[in-house]
Amino acid sequence: MTLDIEALSIRFEERLRQVAVADSPFVTEAASHLIAAGGKRFRPQLVYLASGFGGEVDEEQLLKAALVMELTHVASLYHDDVMDEADVRRSAPSANSRWGNSIAILIGDYLFAKASILVADLGADYVRLQAETFTRLVQGQIAETRGPGTGEAPLEHYLQVIADKTGSLIAASALFGAMIAGAPQSIREALAAYGEEIGLVFQLSDDIIDITSDVTGKTPGTDLREGVPTLPTLLLEASRDPADQPLKDLLAGDLSDDAALAEALAVLRAHPVVEKARAEVCRHADLARQHLAPLPEGDAKQLLLQVCDDLVKRSA
Ligand code: FPP
Ligand code: MG
């Protein structure tokens, strides 16, 4: 069936605003903060598109599924900015920089609880999937924080981290859409595999633009400053070229000073590892496209293919 995604998106925004309303004006303000600051609404869009491969769709159920995914995502951003000590998110001051870490964490919990209320309306299968997804998300974040264990290859560790912290929720969004539409199992599996793969594409490109872009609405170089390994820095670490040593030393040093961070960013931006990382984005986008091959032709499939192109362009 054909969905009017624009009309749905308008209703979604209205509902998202309402969900943040709490018993006190302060909690409403703090919970609305990141929601009102914007965002791509990537996960809700995926819920809508994936619902195009089944039967009749109940719009209220679809909206609830989209809200659950976005609320879970926004809740995790409140927590993530505390962990990353980030000052800016979606071009607005982060909640932690405005109200401190404790409030930011509690608002994340509040929004996650709101997602739980909505997912309960959808039924036990949805609750289970959301909870399983959340266990992966949290474990991915813990693994990132702890770093690779002894004997664990840093690159494999990183890929597992981004699959868990980002791929899991994006895969669940595609699966939620397919479930709402009552799509057959084979289609659900294809869409979940596609979601998992574009989740990787999404996070790989996000990590590249943390280095290359000044217009992300976040502070460029946050990962470098926090010492969070990403594909470009892991590729650099793996290089045996002695000419790369000064940059490795620069990145290993103290980047808390803005001038030091700006210098590290400038040198890294010009380094071939950024192009190599972009090639990996393209490779994973191709894998995502392959998961769509068994799906019936039509507008929904074309739009999901378009998502792959758009994500590749994001970090190109
Ligand atoms: C963004 O990573 C962060 C995530 C994808 C997930 C973070 C998850 C948690 C902190 C657990 C949340 C727990 C609850 C209870 C809500 P990033 O730092 O690479 O992305 P960024 O550049 O957008 O900051
Ligand atoms: Mg972060």
Side-chain angles (χ1 to χ4, degrees):
M1 74 171 255
T2 317
L3 287 167
D4 183 346
I5 292 188
E6 226 168 282
L8 261 177
S9 301
I10 293 170
R11 288 184 58 202
F12 172 86
E13 289 302 321
E14 181 53 31
R15 292 285 293 272
L16 191 60
R17 257 198 311 278
Q18 287 164 6
V19 170
V21 174
D23 296 340
S24 82
F26 173 73
V27 177
T28 303
E29 185 194 354
S32 306
H33 178 67
L34 277 189
I35 289 173
K40 297 175 280 299
R41 311 297 191 234
F42 181 61
R43 292 152 190 83
Q45 294 288 330
L46 212 52
V47 175
Y48 311 146
L49 295 181
S51 76
F53 296 94
E56 202 59 28
V57 171
D58 179 321
E59 245 188 54
E60 177 58 20
Q61 302 259 93
L62 189 63
L63 272 176
K64 277 189 176 154
L67 286 164
V68 170
M69 292 293 105
E70 185 66 12
L71 285 166
T72 306
H73 169 59
V74 175
S76 79
L77 296 182
Y78 275 81
H79 286 200
D80 183 63
D81 285 342
V82 171
M83 297 185 72
D84 289 348
E85 299 178 41
D87 295 327
V88 188
R89 163 79 65 187
R90 297 179 171 172
S91 303
S94 62
N96 42 299
S97 70
R98 254 189 95 171
W99 296 291
N101 287 349
S102 298
I103 295 292
I105 292 167
L106 289 165
I107 296 295
D109 293 344
Y110 172 79
L111 289 171
F112 187 63
K114 285 286 189 166
S116 307
I117 296 171
L118 287 169
V119 77
D121 289 344
L122 294 175
D125 288 346
Y126 294 86
V127 173
R128 188 175 303 104
L129 175 58
Q130 199 238 3
E132 283 168 359
T133 302
F134 206 61
T135 59
R136 281 189 65 194
L137 204 134
V138 170
Q139 288 180 96
Q141 192 71 6
I142 293 170
E144 179 177 282
T145 306
R146 283 176 54 81
T150 338
E152 200 177 351
L155 192 55
E156 268 84 88
H157 176 265
Y158 166 74
L159 291 173
Q160 188 63 50
V161 163
I162 64 173
D164 286 341
K165 78 171 188 176
T166 305
S168 61
L169 190 58
I170 292 180
S173 301
L175 194 44
F176 259 33
M179 285 161 72
I180 295 287
Q185 189 58 23
S186 59
I187 288 189
R188 291 183 192 200
E189 282 167 18
L191 284 168
Y194 161 84
E196 194 73 43
E197 204 61 52
I198 51 159
L200 286 189
V201 176
F202 187 91
Q203 189 64 47
L204 285 168
S205 59
D206 215 61
D207 288 351
I208 293 172
I209 60 182
D210 181 70
I211 295 166
T212 58
S213 172
D214 293 315
V215 289
T216 59
K218 305 182 253 192
T219 310
T222 299
D223 293 330
L224 294 187
R225 180 170 268 166
E226 292 298 312
V228 176
T230 58
L231 188 57
T233 57
L234 286 166
L235 292 173
L236 181 74
E237 272 312 309
S239 152
R240 287 166 193 273
D241 186 345
D244 289 334
Q245 197 54 46
L247 178 55
K248 287 184 189 175
D249 293 342
L250 186 60
L251 295 184
D254 180 6
L255 298 178
S256 54
D257 177 69
D258 285 348
L261 184 64
E263 189 197 344
L265 275 173
V267 183
L268 190 56
R269 279 175 186 181
H271 195 284
V273 286
V274 171
E275 263 326 302
K276 281 192 189 154
R278 287 190 175 120
E280 271 304 282
V281 171
C282 293
R283 193 175 70 80
H284 283 283
D286 277 341
L287 293 173
R289 288 185 192 100
Q290 284 169 30
H291 287 301
L292 296 176
L295 297 184
E297 296 304 325
D299 289 351
K301 182 165 172 175
Q302 284 311 311
L303 289 168
L304 288 177
L305 286 166
Q306 183 66 44
V307 167
C308 299
D309 299 346
D310 293 345
L311 287 181
V312 168
K313 277 192 212 124
R314 216 172 143 236
S315 58

